[in-house]
Amino acid sequence: MSIDPTTTSAWSELTQLAKTPVNLAAAFAADENRAARYTLRAGDLVADLSKNLITDEIITQLLALADQTQVAEYRERMYRGERINVTEDRSVLHTALRRPAGDELEVDGENVVDAVHRELEKVFTFATQVRTGQWRGVSGKRITDVVNIGIGGSDLGPMMAYEALKPYVSEDVTCHFVSNIDPSDIADTTAHLDAETTLVIVASKTFTTLETLTNARLARTWLLDSLRAAGVITADEDNTAVARHFVAVSTALDKVAAFGIDPNNAFGFWDWVGGRYSVDSAIGTALAVAIGPERFREFLTGFHTMDQHFATAEPKSNLPLLMGLLNVWYVNFLDAHTHAILPYDQHLHRFAAYLQQLTMESNGKRVRADGSEVNYHTGEVFWGEPGTNGQHAFYQLIHQGSRLIPCDFIAMANPAHALRDGDQDVHELFLANFFAQSKALAFGKSAEQVRAEGTAEAIVPARVFPGNKPSTSIMAARLSPKVLGELIALYEHITFVQGAVWGIDSFDQWGVELGKQLASALAPAVAGDREALKATDASTRNLINTYLQLRE
């Protein structure tokens, strides 16, 4: 049976503590060591939790809640490979993807660490062949562009990491990412590519994902039509061309072969790896091509560093544990509905989108792992934008809106590009905004301060900033592959902690499946099948009829 967290004594204590608001200005005035006491280190990351709405008593009770909901025991079960994904009867072993070679972890009679490293070596060999020009297209030209076709974790992970690690990407290969079934996505991506120098990676574990396989077939048609038009191949050389220009990330080798891809060029992963946890598996093949095997190994080292921290750090200094518990505090006791991710690094511009899938697909659940319905909120909406862009878009709502919105600020001390505007170090100017925003959120601006500026009394209320808005600030020296791995694993474990406290299965995603099933069922109606149209509900029928009338 899942533990109902609301039945624990810690939940009751936290409910009472939430009735006495924490005042950040007063808390800092009363404790000159508050910032130092609430600053934690994990690997290369330094996280300041001091601007959160917490006291030592709140932290004590949050840790008690983790203890009473058996978070540590659940964590150990995950690390051991027990089948904690109960609705799919699967282990949850994304942490095995980054364990060092030589480690042993047996699941269903197999040392999964050995299996992981065998597959990694295949990926690395392939990546090296592409990077060095040993792997060439059907006309003998070297590969200059890689198109990764996937969706969900098979797209969001490698795309986010590729953008984040742009300074480490080879100048000889450019990666492109296609996910949307909207035909504009594949058409726009291939419009300016040379088929002779393009390699396509089709990422689908089962090789049946509707969006991915549709886009893969469209890419194959584009490739073959382009090669024929250029006189590179004849009609009877289609299979040869596909074999040289397509590889797969899949375990369905029969379907891979039927598509025309050589099964020897298919890289696999396992059912104990969820898509949103898979960027450090063969799903990251495009990334391995872009940054090379050595950098990818550094990426994996970052993940493992955070895995070890989560597994071994004392609760009071365990960063993923505390950040996960803080999210529970805000969601369940302070009525926060959303969480803002605010990276002050342009290379992390897809990080919030990546975390949306990680957190919301994982913890958007209304029943506990035992099937009983929850009687408390789970999950929160993650959103955000990088740098100063967000300041000129939605920070108004965070500063002066009526909703509590916890924020995570992320910044790097050293920029990828050290540019100056005259005498001004632009990165220093950029990070001045990073420091200023969390300061403004925490301490605000009083009516007295506004009046002291000579502001007309009638507009003083509009210029008051109440402050007391919570935030966490995370910094590292630079956005290296290792640091990116640490960041991703940090949020993986934060998500785990929340799910463990709530007693839900964070590793299935049945809500995703329903929409896919209905889309397949409605496809004939959308194509004009009148009988299929009659069988659907009145609103959907009306919408489809409108579409059919508007479609030229």
Side-chain angles (χ1 to χ4, degrees):
M1 290 288 290
S2 300
I3 297 172
D4 180 347
T6 66
T7 64
T8 64
S9 61
W11 191 280
S12 298
E13 291 292 333
L14 288 164
T15 301
Q16 292 303 312
L17 289 170
K19 293 177 181 178
T20 304
V22 175
N23 182 283
L24 288 174
F28 275 93
D31 180 4
E32 63 181 16
N33 293 318
R34 180 179 172 90
R37 289 195 306 108
Y38 286 133
T39 295
L40 305 181
R41 291 179 178 269
D44 298 285
L45 306 182
V46 181
D48 180 357
L49 309 183
S50 65
K51 294 189 183 77
N52 282 282
L53 301 176
I54 52 174
T55 63
D56 289 350
E57 188 176 7
I58 290 168
I59 290 294
T60 297
Q61 290 303 323
L62 285 171
L63 290 173
L65 179 63
D67 186 55
Q68 291 166 22
T69 54
Q70 299 180 0
V71 172
E73 291 87 341
Y74 194 53
R75 178 189 63 204
E76 295 311 310
R77 291 179 61 204
M78 177 178 72
Y79 276 59
R80 287 196 301 266
E82 293 186 25
R83 296 175 183 271
I84 63 170
N85 179 351
V86 294
T87 70
E88 297 178 297
D89 191 28
R90 292 175 178 172
S91 300
V92 175
L93 276 176
H94 46 279
T95 55
L97 296 172
R98 50 267 194 154
R99 288 177 65 154
D103 274 12
E104 292 188 11
L105 177 60
E106 189 172 301
V107 176
D108 297 331
E110 179 185 35
N111 182 354
V112 297
V113 180
D114 282 350
V116 165
H117 282 273
R118 284 195 300 270
E119 211 61 37
L120 277 175
E121 288 309 312
K122 282 179 60 180
V123 170
F124 291 162
T125 297
F126 168 74
T128 299
Q129 289 173 340
V130 175
R131 288 168 62 84
T132 60
Q134 184 180 344
W135 182 291
R136 293 177 180 261
V138 70
S139 68
K141 293 182 179 179
R142 69 180 294 158
I143 299 300
T144 60
D145 292 271
V146 173
V147 178
N148 185 92
I149 298 178
I151 198 164
S154 301
D155 169 76
L156 286 165
M159 175 194 268
M160 178 277 292
Y162 176 78
E163 293 294 321
L165 298 178
K166 273 284 183 68
Y168 299 89
V169 167
S170 168
E171 295 180 356
D172 298 324
V173 181
T174 301
C175 291
H176 313 266
F177 298 87
V178 172
S179 58
N180 201 334
I181 200 172
D182 182 338
S184 297
D185 198 2
I186 187 70
D188 290 347
T189 300
T190 56
H192 304 291
L193 297 182
D194 180 351
E196 292 184 59
T197 61
T198 297
L199 177 77
V200 179
I201 300 172
V202 184
S204 172
K205 184 186 295 185
T206 62
F207 225 70
T208 58
T209 309
L210 173 66
E211 297 90 343
T212 300
L213 269 293
T214 300
N215 280 324
R217 288 190 294 269
L218 291 171
R220 181 177 60 187
T221 299
W222 163 79
L223 179 93
L224 296 176
D225 288 350
S226 300
L227 293 176
R228 288 193 206 105
V232 173
I233 63 169
T234 59
D236 60 355
E237 294 175 307
D238 286 1
N239 290 342
T240 302
V242 171
R244 293 306 300 168
H245 289 267
F246 278 76
V247 299
V249 180
S250 178
T251 53
L253 297 185
D254 55 339
K255 294 183 178 67
V256 167
F259 185 90
I261 297 173
D262 184 344
N264 290 319
N265 299 325
F267 311 107
F269 57 118
W270 303 267
D271 67 4
W272 39 258
V273 182
R276 56 194 177 275
Y277 296 92
S278 67
V279 65
D280 46 339
S281 72
I283 287 295
T285 296
L287 180 65
V289 171
I291 66 174
E294 284 308 309
R295 295 296 192 187
F296 200 93
R297 288 188 181 96
E298 294 172 17
F299 184 51
L300 297 176
T301 297
F303 280 94
H304 185 62
T305 298
M306 190 58 66
D307 293 344
Q308 290 294 96
H309 171 85
F310 183 48
T312 62
E314 290 297 316
K316 286 187 177 180
S317 58
N318 194 308
L319 183 59
L321 176 63
L322 288 176
M323 288 185 69
L325 291 171
L326 282 175
N327 289 357
V328 171
W329 170 241
Y330 291 126
V331 169
N332 295 112
F333 301 95
L334 300 186
D335 198 33
H337 293 207
T338 77
H339 194 114
I341 302 297
L342 309 170
Y344 277 66
D345 190 307
Q346 182 62 26
H347 288 124
L348 287 172
H349 70 102
R350 294 294 293 165
F351 194 57
Y354 176 80
L355 292 186
Q356 284 174 347
Q357 186 195 20
L358 173 64
T359 60
M360 294 159 69
E361 196 167 271
S362 294
N363 287 339
K365 308 292 169 62
R366 54 178 289 278
V367 296
R368 287 187 281 266
D370 62 8
S372 58
E373 192 159 346
V374 301
N375 57 343
Y376 43 86
H377 288 302
T378 65
E380 62 264 69
V381 176
F382 273 70
W383 57 286
E385 283 289 329
T388 54
N389 295 9
Q391 293 175 205
H392 291 265
F394 52 75
Y395 277 39
Q396 171 66 38
L397 177 69
I398 302 175
H399 280 288
Q400 291 186 307
S402 59
R403 288 283 189 193
L404 177 72
I405 303 173
C407 301
D408 291 355
F409 291 90
I410 304 169
M412 303 296 145
N414 298 285
H417 305 284
L419 301 180
R420 302 186 71 84
D421 178 21
D423 293 334
Q424 175 69 64
D425 181 316
V426 178
H427 190 63
E428 291 178 356
L429 177 62
F430 184 42
L431 287 204
N433 283 271
F434 167 80
F435 297 119
Q437 289 300 322
S438 64
K439 175 182 172 71
L441 286 170
F443 306 117
K445 191 174 187 179
S446 68
E448 290 72 21
Q449 290 172 312
V450 176
R451 291 190 187 97
E453 295 173 345
T455 302
E457 191 65 29
I459 62 172
V460 165
R463 297 187 62 178
V464 169
F465 291 76
N468 222 44
K469 309 285 188 178
S471 69
T472 294
S473 296
I474 301 171
M475 285 192 286
R478 56 181 43 82
L479 188 57
S480 65
K482 182 171 182 277
V483 164
L484 181 63
E486 291 172 346
L487 265 177
I488 297 170
L490 170 64
Y491 281 93
E492 288 178 349
H493 297 317
I494 289 169
T495 302
F496 172 90
V497 169
Q498 291 179 258
V501 169
W502 290 325
I504 60 178
D505 184 345
S506 297
F507 304 101
D508 60 12
Q509 59 280 329
W510 295 107
V512 178
E513 300 303 316
L514 177 59
K516 292 197 280 189
Q517 292 167 4
L518 290 176
S520 296
L522 286 172
V526 177
D529 184 323
R530 306 312 295 182
E531 290 304 312
L533 190 60
K534 272 189 217 176
T536 192
D537 66 275
S539 176
T540 304
R541 185 164 58 249
N542 183 62
L543 285 170
I544 293 174
N545 275 326
T546 301
Y547 157 76
L548 292 171
Q549 291 163 11
L550 293 172
R551 178 71 184 262
E552 295 177 2

